[in-house]
Amino acid sequence: MASTDLMDKIVSLCKRRGFIFQSSEIYGGLANSWDYGPLGVELKNNVKQAWWKRNVHGRDDMVGLDAAIFMHPNTWKASGHLDTFNDMMVDCKDCNKRLREDHIEDNTCPDCGSSNFTEARPFNLMLDSYLGPVRDESGRTYLRPETAQGIFVNFKNILDSTSRKLPFGVAQIGKSFRNEVTAGNFTFRQREFEQMEIEYFCHPDQADKFFEEWIENRFQWYKDLGIRTENLQLRKHEDDELAHYAKGCTDVEYKFPFGWSELEGIAHRSDFDLKQHSQHSGKELIYRDPFTNEVFTPYVIEPSGGVDRGMLAFLVDAYHEEEVDGKPRTVLKLHKDLVPTKVAVLPLLKKNTEVVELCQKIKNDLIKDMTCTYNDTAAIGKLYRRQDEVGTFYCVTVDVDSLEDNQVTVRDRDSMAQERVALDQLKQYLRNKFED
Ligand code: ATP
């Protein structure tokens, strides 16, 4: 399938089935802003939950944080974002298109083909706002362009309140905002997006080791959640690409239909941030080793991923078109931990009230344990196809025999194999499948 076709199909599926809508569509839409619909929000929450489970609850050296989006403006002076968080921008003199200089290929405007550009000039990516009743400089503040700084400014609070010993990490998921010059590629590059970030604090001598470990961990997470290995790669940044704070950086990239692109960056930030905040705030942000009494500023490894980009990669990778018995089938082969709906309960005969009642009873019981839906809007073949298209892991079908033998048919999304399961064992049967 041509890559543009694949992207078009995914965008269309996302809209048709309620994963992702254009923001404020009834007003003509707002460019590069997207709303997550009923199935989209489930998938997105599952991505975040899988990340939290692996990185916070699944380890004893991590804690969580949820810091405010608005921070003291000095934060951004200290972090370097006010002075250096710039993209170099040019305008095409022939069609007035504004472009990021590093996104131009072969010195050619992608809209009109011209090579007649203005001089490149820096463009700060931070979005600002004014807090308080008077709109003047004293109330000027910024919507955070990354969640990371919320962690650094809370380093001392976390250390004091948890008595953590190094090494330990702090994880946070939240919205970030960047006034991207060229947004686009569906949800890949937006001005408002969500990040999943970790700051892992350690002794400087151990930073290189943890840097390598985190690169491996984060690469593995995408694989464990079903992304095909051939569609993932690691890319080490060249020295001249490194951000102002980084000693090293490696990206996890996914082979999107529009090319290999960054899902997540793992950066070795040394002691840059803690030292900067210490200097600008006048507060000591240091660590005293309780065993050796050594006092030092911890080094930091930062795995920083995008929720929206991750979700887009999971969607793209899961999208399959197959032919079954001469008929096309579209199936989202999402990992069981990510699927928006785990089980659909379907009646073979929607006109039989006893069958429908049994379906409702089963759904009401299962829904306490797993995401579950009932649907009777078409014949069974079509109902299966509709559930396949949104990745529902199992379909439970109730027929007239079920009324007699107290068994239902459980259909597996990927193999399409069907199995009769006794009603009183159904919940445990499904639980076992999801716990595998
Ligand atoms: P890019 O080079 O694509 O602009 P970046 O290197 O500036 O990304 P980081 O600052 O490393 O990105 O941010 C960490 C993660 O946050 C990225 O890997 C990405 O998943 C996500 N992210 C960054 N900018 C955006 C955006 N505009 N829209 C959606 N996700 C984003």
Side-chain angles (χ1 to χ4, degrees), residues 178 180 188-190 193 195 262-264 304 306 309:
R178 295 181 190 180
E180 297 278 2
F188 180 82
R189 188 177 301 285
Q190 302 172 73
F193 55 96
Q195 290 185 307
E262 175 182 336
L263 280 183
E264 169 154 355
S304 167
R309 284 190 192 177

Side-chain angles (χ1 to χ4, degrees), residues 22-281:
Q22 171 83 67
S23 157
S24 27
E25 195 188 77
I26 60 167
Y27 288 105
L30 178 69
N32 306 303
S33 276
W34 301 96
D35 296 339
Y36 290 90
L39 293 184
V41 68
E42 295 296 334
L43 173 53
K44 197 180 186 202
N45 282 341
N46 289 342
V47 170
K48 291 190 271 185
Q49 251 170 41
W51 185 89
W52 197 265
K53 194 169 155 195
R54 172 70 62 92
N55 294 304
V56 185
H57 294 167
R59 305 174 55 122
D60 62 5
D61 57 350
M62 294 284 301
V63 293
L65 179 76
D66 185 9
I69 286 170
F70 286 122
M71 300 180 67
H72 192 290
N74 287 355
T75 308
W76 308 113
K77 187 74 193 150
S79 69
H81 284 83
L82 268 178
D83 298 326
T84 59
F85 193 51
N86 298 318
D87 278 342
M88 295 307 281
M89 180 181 75
V90 296
D91 291 333
C92 170
K93 285 188 185 163
D94 289 327
C95 73
N96 296 326
K97 173 113 181 151
R98 187 156 285 178
L99 297 155
R100 238 169 89 169
E101 190 188 28
D102 61 335
H103 283 179
I104 298 175
E105 283 174 20
D106 304 327
N107 198 31
T108 305
C109 170
D111 272 20
C112 72
S114 162
S115 297
N116 196 9
F117 295 114
T118 58
E119 283 289 305
R121 58 197 183 283
F123 174 79
N124 194 285
L125 294 176
M126 283 211 294
L127 281 152
D128 58 4
S129 188
Y130 294 85
L131 299 185
V134 186
R135 198 178 169 83
D136 66 11
E137 274 307 300
S138 67
R140 188 165 185 201
T141 183
Y142 299 89
L143 280 84
R144 65 180 179 202
E146 60 175 32
T147 61
Q149 300 304 323
I151 300 179
F152 293 123
V153 300
N154 276 297
F155 172 73
K156 191 169 169 358
N157 283 335
I158 293 172
L159 203 58
D160 292 348
S161 60
T162 65
S163 317
R164 286 271 156 178
K165 311 266 178 299
L166 286 190
F168 73 91
V170 183
Q172 172 162 228
I173 299 178
K175 288 251 171 163
S176 293
F177 303 81
R178 295 181 190 180
N179 197 10
E180 297 278 2
V181 181
T182 44
N185 277 331
F186 199 28
T187 54
F188 180 82
R189 188 177 301 285
Q190 302 172 73
R191 299 199 169 96
E192 171 183 345
F193 55 96
E194 248 179 306
Q195 290 185 307
M196 315 180 272
E197 296 197 296
I198 293 166
E199 305 305 329
Y200 195 79
F201 300 100
C202 61
H203 190 281
D205 291 350
Q206 293 190 304
D208 290 345
K209 175 182 89 131
F210 287 123
F211 182 41
E212 295 308 321
E213 264 183 38
W214 276 109
I215 293 170
E216 207 174 293
N217 280 351
R218 296 304 306 138
F219 189 76
Q220 189 62 36
W221 183 75
Y222 292 98
K223 273 173 55 177
D224 291 346
L225 284 174
I227 295 202
R228 284 164 283 176
T229 314
E230 68 266 27
N231 292 336
L232 283 171
Q233 71 179 16
L234 288 172
R235 191 182 70 82
K236 191 170 180 284
H237 283 216
E238 302 297 332
D239 287 348
D240 60 0
E241 270 185 275
L242 290 177
H244 58 277
Y245 52 76
K247 274 190 89 175
C249 189
T250 294
D251 289 344
V252 179
E253 294 191 334
Y254 179 71
K255 195 178 180 188
F256 283 100
F258 42 84
W260 285 102
S261 310
E262 175 182 336
L263 280 183
E264 169 154 355
I266 297 103
H268 184 323
R269 292 176 84 123
S270 70
D271 55 6
F272 174 84
D273 302 270
L274 288 181
K275 280 208 164 136
Q276 284 291 109
H277 286 302
S278 201
Q279 196 187 329
H280 281 77
S281 68

